[in-house]
Amino acid sequence: MREMVDAKVTSQFQRAMRYVARCATRRGFSYQAVNEYGMNDTRVSFALTGCGVVSFFSAGMYDSREVRDGLRVLPAYRHQLVPDKLHYYYGHYYASQAMYLAGPDTWDLYYPAVRDEILSSPRRKPDGSWTDDVGSTYATAMACIVLQMPCEYLPIFQK
């Protein structure tokens, strides 16, 4: 019985990764599979590209074309984020994982600027929390996840 369940999970996982791969373009990851929705190519974003790269890393695909392209374009898409606005922390949540897992050369170019930007946010409250369009609990939790990345406090991010 367990073998049947494992085979089914493996099959579903492989199908899911094929879908994520179809969302990859040379310009990053899209919201939907671009070969199914041709006009969707314009919906490539910083957050989706970070998420796509992390998906590939999590699946053990560390040196695919999709990963290389995603890591190449992530820095260029960072300008899409407006500090303390919707998707700012979401984007950095995924991008910080992607950049960290990519290795020290990539991480060292990404993290110091993001760390400083988060710590100097004008929407950081005296009690140590952050706020954004979603709310203080969300913004603070996401900021803490991004800031702790090099400390590897969360087991999922330990190398």
Side-chain angles (χ1 to χ4, degrees):
M1 178 69 168
R2 182 181 174 118
E3 291 82 20
M4 231 170 60
V5 171
D6 288 345
K8 188 172 184 174
V9 168
T10 299
S11 172
Q12 291 298 316
F13 176 78
Q14 290 169 339
R15 288 177 62 207
M17 286 309 300
R18 283 194 298 271
Y19 178 81
V20 174
R22 289 194 318 267
C23 293
T25 72
R26 299 299 286 197
R27 294 180 18 247
F29 284 79
S30 178
Y31 184 71
Q32 296 173 313
V34 291
N35 58 351
E36 296 169 12
Y37 303 94
M39 296 303 292
N40 191 46
D41 193 39
T42 59
R43 300 216 38 207
V44 170
S45 74
F46 181 76
L48 293 171
T49 299
C51 185
V53 170
V54 170
S55 295
F56 271 76
F57 279 157
S58 297
M61 298 181 231
Y62 303 103
D63 192 37
S64 67
R65 178 198 56 82
E66 294 87 355
V67 166
R68 288 189 306 274
D69 287 346
L71 290 172
R72 177 182 50 78
V73 301
L74 264 174
Y77 285 126
R78 193 168 158 242
H79 74 277
Q80 291 178 338
L81 299 179
V82 177
D84 306 315
K85 295 291 182 189
L86 188 61
H87 302 306
Y88 176 81
Y89 293 106
Y90 175 75
H92 283 303
Y93 171 77
Y94 282 110
S96 65
Q97 292 175 62
M99 299 301 212
Y100 186 72
L101 293 170
D105 293 339
T106 305
W107 178 250
D108 291 345
L109 292 173
Y110 166 80
Y111 184 72
V114 171
R115 176 200 59 215
D116 295 348
E117 189 173 88
I118 291 172
L119 290 174
S120 66
S121 168
R123 294 190 61 190
R124 186 170 178 209
K125 297 178 180 179
D127 67 1
S129 67
W130 285 264
T131 189
D132 69 359
D133 294 349
V134 179
S136 291
T137 303
Y138 171 80
T140 302
M142 295 298 262
C144 288
I145 289 171
V146 172
L147 293 172
Q148 72 76 42
M149 194 71 61
C151 302
E152 298 182 344
Y153 292 141
L154 297 176
I156 193 169
F157 301 131
Q158 294 174 355
K159 289 184 179 177

